[in-house]
Amino acid sequence: MKASQFLISTLKEAPADAEVVSHQLMTRAGMIKKLGAGIYIYMPMGLRVIQKVEKIVREEMNRAGGIELTMPVVQPAELWQETGRFDKMGPEMLRIKDRHERDFVLQPTSEEVVTDIARQELRSYKQLPKNFYQIQTKFRDERRPRFGLMRGREFVMKDAYSFDRDRDSAQASYQVMAGAYRRIFDRFGLTYRAVAADSGAIGGDLSEEFQVIAATGEDAIVYCPNSDYAANIEKAEALAPQGPRPAAVQALTKVSTPGSSTCAALATFLDLPLSATVKSMVLATDEVNDYDEVTKTRVFLLLLRGDHEMNEVKVGKLPGFELGFRLATELEIVEHFGCKPGYLGPIGLKRSVTVIADREVVVMADWVCGANQLDFHLTGVNWGRDLPEPDLVADLRNVVAGDLSPDGQGELAIERGIEVGHVFYLGTKYSQAMNATFLAEDGKPRHFEMGCYGIGVTRLPAAAVEQNHDARGIIWPDAIAPFTLVICPIGMDRSEAVRAAAEQLHDELAAQGVDVLLDDRGERPGAMFADWELIGVPHRVTIGDKGLKEGLVEYQHRRDEAATKVGLAELPALLKGKLGL
């Protein structure tokens, strides 16, 4: 490829709405162009990256036995109504009507359609297992589309769906996909972690996320440096504390604490460690009738150590919270505690409240909590003596760095990551809802056991940029770079020797299968180098008239601080090693 035949449209400045590095650099490098909120044009330079991502994904999916198809972006509502998701999914699913007033959706995912395919095409256990996948455009009407390709409304995903005869074979299919994902992400050349994850609303009880490690990542990843243990913050388990509860030493005392409505302010006021305080989280659950009218409300008091944060996913799995929960209203809090938020505690409640304590709190002695009176707290609080044991003890909190690893191999550490892939075991969630069955060996119909497996094809390049960049621009891994190597001739329009050497090298590398580009635009060296450093091509060879007279050219990797002079005779061997030819 020659630059004069391609479109190179770099910018000196990023648009004002580009908040994260990947959005800024991909826009400046001419890889994406905003068309509307959360909707982007993939320009030629960016499309080359996406196509390379797709190629790797497709090769490994085929190697793992996946069968590629394409499902429509616009899907009839009837299938979504079978599973109930047409009504249950929020406004992120774009619903439209055709000229006949029939309902359709712009697919945010394709479980319903692929299950419909299976129930029509897979009739016998002899046809199983099967894994269908697509690389297709999706649409989710994000409330706040932002961060460029990181959180757009229109995007490209690879989603795959496995169908098996029983749970054991389904889990075997899951492991095949988990292995394929590791090969895919290894080939991308990115630093990543596969972490245990919560399956969320999509369902299932076996799940892993593939997270690209980046300081700007939106997710917290918990891992043990001494083992393979890794989980996202929602899934990571906090081990039960060791040892018995200490004996009470202090007397229960009511103290004036004006202006100390947070645990941090309280700890400062009383000159105590934050870990000696207990925070009160008041939640409520509602039961509703067929008319969506609230018929019963329960109020819960959750107690966590002052230096810990509540984990909503863990709380959502507690008894009584299966149908969801909310923060209690101020009126409900006053009715049950006799006080507005900021000074709440479990002693002296006005009405019945279910008390749930985190496992760390239940082994504390002489702790501090609100007195249910404005500007007052209680010190020296102890279980059994001052209040009854909690109704329930559970793991309610996010783990923190330094907690013991659940596998006993050391302490936990936390880093940031960007989710770019997710694998689920679904079970029969969708096959039962849509009555998708096959004839088993005994001649009886059985529901398919399913799994689903996604990769954010257009999100992945953005995650790669977040992980690989410097002050000059992007630094692409070889496998997904728009071009692997760029030849930068100096004064090509003025020197026939430079032109001939550059074109000869270009043709030789292209013949060897190298994705090479020759910059024949005639740009000044500074402008030319700045473009390719911004775009992030990993390898560069510079050819100049002066160097040629000495039999030399320059090689520089995008991460190198300076170029290295190389003899023309040694260049093929050097490039062979650098490019893995």
Side-chain angles (χ1 to χ4, degrees):
M1 176 69 69
K2 293 185 177 180
S4 60
Q5 300 169 334
F6 199 67
L7 178 64
I8 299 167
S9 53
T10 56
L11 301 172
K12 291 187 180 298
E13 300 292 335
D17 65 343
E19 301 174 76
V20 296
V21 169
S22 59
H23 190 187
Q24 295 167 359
L25 292 180
M26 293 186 78
T27 302
R28 288 187 56 210
M31 295 189 170
I32 59 173
K33 186 178 290 292
K34 183 177 177 181
L35 183 63
I39 302 174
Y40 291 85
I41 300 166
Y42 307 125
M43 299 296 285
M45 193 70 73
L47 183 59
R48 291 181 67 88
V49 176
I50 292 168
Q51 288 172 334
K52 290 188 176 183
V53 171
E54 290 181 353
K55 181 176 183 292
I56 291 172
V57 169
R58 186 171 279 114
E59 288 175 357
E60 293 299 337
M61 286 300 300
N62 292 344
R63 176 182 169 190
I67 305 167
E68 186 171 9
L69 48 69
T70 301
M71 291 173 276
V73 175
V74 179
Q75 301 177 354
E78 287 86 349
L79 295 175
W80 290 78
Q81 288 164 345
E82 285 189 54
T83 61
R85 292 210 295 175
F86 184 77
D87 297 316
K88 290 179 181 177
M89 287 195 75
E92 67 273 9
M93 183 166 76
L94 189 61
R95 299 159 175 85
I96 58 176
K97 291 182 182 291
D98 68 5
R99 67 179 68 192
H100 304 293
E101 292 298 305
R102 291 176 297 208
D103 289 315
F104 290 82
V105 304
L106 261 62
Q107 67 153 347
T109 181
S110 281
E111 282 81 7
E112 282 79 1
V113 173
V114 79
T115 304
D116 184 53
I117 293 170
R119 69 182 174 183
Q120 294 183 58
E121 300 294 334
L122 306 179
R123 299 180 178 88
S124 168
Y125 72 93
K126 295 179 181 179
Q127 296 172 275
L128 303 177
K130 283 290 187 290
N131 187 318
F132 298 116
Y133 80 93
Q134 66 172 352
I135 298 175
Q136 175 63 296
T137 299
K138 303 288 187 70
F139 190 91
R140 292 179 188 166
D141 197 6
E142 294 274 359
R143 175 180 293 181
R144 293 185 62 208
R146 55 198 304 217
F147 306 151
L149 301 187
M150 294 287 288
R151 193 179 295 173
R153 292 196 293 167
E154 183 182 279
F155 51 95
V156 176
M157 274 192 68
K158 187 285 298 178
D159 48 323
Y161 305 91
S162 59
F163 295 86
D164 283 273
R165 65 173 75 179
D166 55 37
R167 182 182 177 92
D168 288 345
S169 58
Q171 293 194 347
S173 292
Y174 174 96
Q175 295 302 334
V176 169
M177 280 292 98
Y181 269 49
R182 283 166 172 80
R183 291 193 299 272
I184 288 169
F185 284 96
D186 286 344
R187 287 183 62 181
F188 287 152
L190 302 173
T191 302
Y192 74 94
R193 289 188 184 276
V195 303
D198 185 78
S199 297
I202 202 168
D205 58 5
L206 183 62
S207 175
E208 288 175 278
E209 290 174 354
F210 288 77
Q211 298 265 0
V212 170
I213 306 306
T216 54
E218 63 208 338
D219 298 326
I221 301 169
V222 179
Y223 69 100
C224 178
N226 304 322
S227 71
D228 293 332
Y229 177 80
N232 67 19
I233 195 73
E234 290 85 4
K235 182 80 172 179
E237 179 186 2
L239 288 182
Q242 301 296 312
R245 179 192 298 161
V249 174
Q250 302 175 14
L252 180 67
T253 306
K254 184 177 178 180
V255 296
S256 175
T257 54
S260 302
S261 60
T262 67
C263 285
L266 176 65
T268 300
F269 184 85
L270 296 177
D271 194 23
L272 292 172
L274 189 56
S275 59
T277 67
V278 169
K279 67 173 69 173
S280 297
M281 308 287 294
V282 187
L283 306 180
T285 61
D286 297 320
E287 294 182 15
V288 297
N289 58 23
D290 293 340
Y291 302 100
D292 209 28
E293 299 168 335
V294 176
T295 58
K296 182 180 179 181
T297 295
R298 288 184 64 188
V299 173
F300 297 79
L301 173 62
L302 274 60
L303 300 176
L304 291 93
R305 219 168 69 182
D307 57 337
H308 289 159
E309 297 297 328
M310 185 181 81
N311 184 309
E312 292 189 14
V313 171
K314 292 179 182 179
V315 171
K317 295 181 178 180
L318 296 177
F321 290 84
E322 296 87 352
L323 299 179
F325 62 90
R326 58 177 174 82
L327 293 175
T329 65
E330 185 171 299
L331 177 60
E332 289 169 333
I333 290 173
V334 171
E335 287 178 347
H336 287 78
F337 294 82
C339 179
K340 292 183 179 181
Y343 298 87
L344 306 180
I347 298 178
L349 305 182
K350 300 297 182 183
R351 293 174 58 179
S352 176
V353 172
T354 301
V355 177
I356 305 176
D358 182 72
R359 294 187 298 198
E360 291 284 349
V361 173
V362 82
V363 297
M364 291 174 65
D366 299 326
W367 39 281
V368 183
C369 67
N372 294 320
Q373 183 178 342
L374 182 65
D375 289 336
F376 283 90
H377 281 83
L378 298 173
T379 63
V381 181
N382 285 273
W383 296 104
R385 187 193 70 182
D386 305 317
L387 76 165
E389 299 291 335
D391 299 300
L392 178 66
V393 177
D395 178 14
L396 305 178
R397 68 179 180 91
N398 288 333
V399 300
V400 295
D403 281 344
L404 295 178
S405 176
D407 63 5
Q409 298 301 306
E411 295 184 349
L412 294 174
I414 298 178
E415 59 190 356
R416 307 301 299 181
I418 300 168
E419 183 188 347
V420 289
H422 208 153
V423 291
F424 297 91
Y425 165 64
L426 289 174
T428 58
K429 177 182 175 72
Y430 293 95
S431 59
Q432 282 190 330
M434 299 182 69
N435 196 28
T437 63
F438 64 96
L439 289 181
E441 292 176 275
D442 59 7
K444 296 180 180 179
R446 301 266 178 86
H447 290 105
F448 294 103
E449 294 277 346
M450 294 175 57
C452 70
Y453 318 92
I455 289 177
V457 170
T458 47
R459 194 173 210 242
L460 191 134
V465 174
E466 293 291 334
Q467 185 182 94
N468 298 278
H469 67 272
D470 61 15
R472 294 174 289 171
I474 302 167
I475 308 173
W476 290 109
D478 284 22
I480 58 175
F483 294 95
T484 307
L485 183 145
V486 60
I487 300 169
C488 293
I490 308 299
M492 181 176 177
D493 55 336
R494 302 186 303 273
S495 170
E496 184 57 35
V498 170
R499 175 183 295 277
E503 290 183 346
Q504 181 180 349
L505 178 60
H506 171 271
D507 294 345
E508 289 175 353
L509 291 173
Q512 296 176 63
V514 177
D515 194 4
V516 59
L517 181 136
L518 171 60
D519 191 343
D520 60 346
R521 296 176 297 165
E523 293 281 353
R524 293 177 294 103
M528 183 164 47
F529 295 160
D531 275 348
W532 297 113
E533 288 171 345
L534 173 60
I535 293 167
V537 174
H539 304 274
R540 185 176 83 203
V541 173
T542 303
I543 301 175
D545 196 53
K546 182 178 178 181
L548 282 179
K549 291 176 181 177
E550 300 174 4
L552 299 173
V553 295
E554 292 183 348
Y555 166 81
Q556 185 171 359
H557 188 275
R558 179 62 181 80
R559 293 189 184 276
D560 294 342
E561 289 297 322
T564 301
K565 291 185 178 182
V566 183
L568 279 171
E570 291 78 41
L571 183 63
L574 182 140
L575 292 180
K576 184 177 181 180
K578 297 289 186 181
L579 303 177
L581 299 177

